[in-house]
Amino acid sequence: MLELLAVPQGRNYIAGRWVDPVGDRMLTSVNPATGEVLGVAPDSSAADVDRAVRAAAEAWPSWRATPAPRRAEILFRAAELLVRHKEELARLATREMGKILTETRGDVQEAIDMTYFIAGEGRRLHGYTTPSEMPHKAAYCVRAPLGVVAVITPWNFPMAIPSWKIVPALVCGNTVVFKPASYTPLLGLKFVELFAEAGLPPGVLNVVTGPGEAVGDALVEHPQVRVVSFTGSTETGLRLAEKCGRLGKRVSLEMGGKNAAIVLPDADLGLATDALIWSAFGTTGQRCTACSRIIVHREVREALTERLVARAEALRLGDGLAPDTDVGPLVSAAQLERVHRYVEVGTGEGARLLTGGRRVTDGALARGHFYAPTIFDQVRPEMRIAQEEIFGPVTDLIEAASLEEAIAILNGVRYGLSASIFTRDVNTAMRAIDEIDTGIVYVNHGTIGAEVHLPFGGTKDTGNGHREGGLQVLDVFSEWKAVYIDYSGRLQRAQIDKD
Ligand code: UN1
């Protein structure tokens, strides 16, 4: 059995073997709470990518010929290994990217859920049959794989997000080259090690670690890569999509969010407070689904504000491994700086800082990238802090005078990932669901907490029309093949031999 915490050091996994990178540069994986160096992983180059893609292309013919139920058996075993190693993986995840253990356990659980759910598709992968226009002619369609898939993932959900992409790509019969985020290379290597241990044949799943500019771009540009699945910033996603457009490749993008919750006067304010604190500050606000705008009806603004500030100030910052920590560090010094710059922008724009807005360096926290949970009020919808994704523990209070105004504010951003509304009135909730322009809507719940068997993704600049999760994700990783079988024994011309 694997020594899970003994992460393979300094090597990529290509064609079923741990291999040294072509160059000798390494990425260092550092615990953002303590500064502890956890290990090294290859700072790979285009030559490493080429090796991995070739291996994946070579493995494809026999993997696509493997019946889907057999492919799925291996994925079920991978799910079992994830279950068995959940705690170790969660602890490594907390050490590598900082969020608290309760949340990294959830992250691993999401990968488990996704793997079981999609492995089940091995015995379905439904197409459909339909009547033909003509007698003695059968018509049906099936899903076919595309070839080599490039998977590029972020560090905030280092287990769940790779599973959203890799597992459906594999069950559909594609082979994969996976580039995990540069902040979480060790988890990327562990993920692949577990799936290899489950029995994937050599070359079916490969991992190449390294920065986006070198490894990500080389993957996207490689002529043998057919599909690119990316989660990350809008800037990078659009840049990759441009390349894919030029090269005629399919690309699935999951990018930014500026998610909002609406709180109406008839809401349960205790519930709303619990949910909004969790949505704004869980994962230290580093979720694409984080609640970074709270649109509150003026009648309950004061009451909600008081509760939120009190709760935010009571959150305990610390190492995510400590049981009493509520909020871990930001992932890096660069991310902390970016968050702080946004706070300065907000203050400069005239928003009022109610709490937070500063780095926290008390005692042992000085070694990590800790930032106080931050709430602004008197935020106007057009301010930059109300329009741009911050990706940190910062949320805005925006006042509205009616449901209509609140929905207009909610929709008035370039993103459309998740949204929520707190009300006890079913008519109001249903009307909001009709009018909110996002891919995910919650009622009496925060903006986070999507489940794997429903489609995940957003409208407008959040994505490019694809969905992860749900059965919808299969559309990213398969091509429809329409089949006509004419058993009439004569020429029957569609559209022409009508009468
Ligand atoms: C993300 O926000 O980056 O819905 C992913 C959620 C999680 C996944 C979040 N299941 O909050």
Side-chain angles (χ1 to χ4, degrees):
M1 189 28 62
L2 328 168
E3 272 306 312
L4 260 176
L5 286 175
V7 180
Q9 291 285 313
R11 291 176 161 189
N12 290 315
Y13 188 77
I14 297 175
R17 289 186 309 120
W18 293 101
V19 295
D20 289 323
V22 174
D24 52 13
R25 285 193 325 242
M26 290 287 155
L27 299 173
T28 308
S29 171
V30 179
N31 182 332
T34 62
E36 167 202 13
V37 172
L38 300 172
V40 294
D43 184 348
S44 309
S45 62
D48 300 298
V49 168
D50 183 54
R51 252 161 102 173
V53 175
R54 281 169 194 274
E58 225 166 89
W60 186 47
S62 91
W63 183 244
R64 77 186 289 209
T66 305
R70 297 277 96 82
R71 298 196 289 254
E73 281 167 14
I74 301 172
L75 299 173
F76 277 121
R77 277 202 294 278
E80 283 159 22
L81 287 172
L82 288 169
V83 170
R84 192 171 324 148
H85 294 289
K86 179 174 171 181
E87 191 60 22
E88 294 153 89
L89 289 165
R91 296 185 83 82
L92 177 60
T94 293
R95 290 170 70 202
E96 196 168 36
M97 58 67 67
K99 69 185 174 187
I100 62 173
L101 205 45
T102 326
E103 292 189 39
T104 49
R105 287 183 186 127
D107 192 339
V108 181
Q109 186 59 46
E110 192 160 347
I112 293 168
D113 295 344
M114 184 66 184
T115 307
Y116 277 128
F117 167 57
I118 289 294
E121 281 310 298
R123 286 193 183 268
R124 284 184 292 266
L125 279 183
H126 293 306
Y128 58 91
T129 61
T130 185
S132 158
E133 294 168 13
M134 269 140 326
H136 303 306
K137 187 175 169 191
Y140 67 93
C141 57
V142 290
R143 290 185 185 277
L146 288 112
V148 180
V149 172
V151 166
I152 304 174
T153 58
W155 42 265
N156 64 336
F157 276 81
M159 297 301 291
I161 295 179
S163 80
W164 294 354
K165 302 173 187 296
I166 292 172
V167 181
L170 293 178
V171 86
C172 287
N174 306 282
T175 55
V176 173
V177 180
F178 168 34
K179 188 202 98 61
S182 304
Y183 290 131
T184 51
L186 302 185
L187 281 161
L189 298 173
K190 287 320 299 180
F191 186 100
V192 169
E193 188 182 33
L194 277 178
F195 275 67
E197 167 87 7
L200 286 177
V204 169
L205 174 59
N206 309 275
V207 59
V208 178
T209 59
E213 308 82 64
V215 177
D217 282 30
L219 264 175
V220 168
E221 283 163 11
H222 197 291
Q224 284 172 297
V225 166
R226 297 295 314 139
V227 184
V228 176
S229 177
F230 168 85
T231 298
S233 73
T234 301
E235 194 194 347
T236 307
L238 293 180
R239 198 171 54 75
L240 295 184
E242 217 175 291
K243 282 187 202 286
C244 288
R246 215 171 339 104
L247 298 168
K249 297 185 181 189
R250 181 181 296 189
V251 57
S252 163
L253 302 173
E254 209 273 283
M255 306 181 286
K258 191 69 192 175
N259 315 292
I262 295 174
V263 183
L264 295 179
D266 69 339
D268 175 339
L269 289 189
L271 168 66
T273 305
D274 287 345
L276 294 175
I277 290 288
W278 168 231
S279 299
F281 304 125
T283 323
T284 321
Q286 302 168 112
R287 291 198 188 213
C288 12
T289 50
C291 180
S292 57
R293 297 180 297 150
I294 299 168
I295 304 165
V296 59
H297 194 283
R298 67 157 68 116
E299 282 173 30
V300 282
R301 184 177 75 97
E302 234 180 86
L304 183 72
T305 305
E306 253 171 47
R307 287 168 188 252
L308 287 173
V309 170
R311 284 287 298 283
E313 288 178 349
L315 292 171
R316 288 159 304 194
L317 269 60
D319 187 332
L321 290 179
D324 57 352
T325 298
D326 298 312
V327 178
L330 287 159
V331 76
S332 66
Q335 206 57 29
L336 185 138
E337 227 171 82
R338 179 189 147 88
V339 168
H340 190 64
R341 265 204 312 275
Y342 265 111
V343 167
E344 287 172 348
V345 166
T347 319
E349 286 177 308
R352 187 161 64 119
L353 188 59
L354 293 178
T355 185
R358 64 192 163 82
R359 187 178 170 196
V360 180
T361 52
D362 312 337
L365 299 191
R367 290 185 288 146
H369 313 299
F370 292 93
Y371 202 81
T374 300
I375 304 178
F376 277 110
D377 83 344
Q378 293 176 12
V379 177
R380 286 190 313 277
E382 69 282 4
M383 287 180 178
R384 280 185 61 199
I385 55 164
Q387 290 286 329
E388 297 174 22
E389 183 175 50
I390 299 175
F391 225 65
V394 179
T395 195
D396 304 333
L397 281 156
I398 306 173
E399 189 181 288
S402 65
L403 174 66
E404 290 64 33
E405 193 194 349
I407 292 175
I409 295 170
L410 185 145
N411 285 338
V413 293
R414 63 188 286 216
Y415 300 113
L417 184 53
S418 81
S420 110
I421 180 161
F422 289 85
T423 175
R424 288 174 165 121
D425 182 325
V426 68
N427 293 5
T428 306
M430 295 299 287
R431 270 185 46 213
I433 293 168
D434 287 347
E435 284 161 34
I436 286 173
D437 183 6
T438 59
I440 305 170
V441 182
Y442 294 96
V443 176
N444 292 330
H445 188 86
T447 56
I448 67 178
E451 302 177 28
V452 299
H453 53 301
L454 278 82
F456 182 95
T459 60
K460 300 189 278 186
D461 286 355
T462 291
N464 62 340
H466 296 286
R467 290 292 183 268
E468 312 203 88
L471 294 180
Q472 288 79 356
V473 71
L474 300 174
D475 287 334
V476 173
F477 299 111
S478 59
E479 194 98 80
W480 284 105
K481 181 182 283 180
V483 183
Y484 302 93
I485 306 173
D486 191 322
Y487 52 96
S488 68
R490 60 198 163 88
L491 173 65
Q492 301 194 91
R493 294 173 302 176
Q495 293 91 37
I496 292 170
D497 296 329
K498 257 187 108 229
D499 308 307

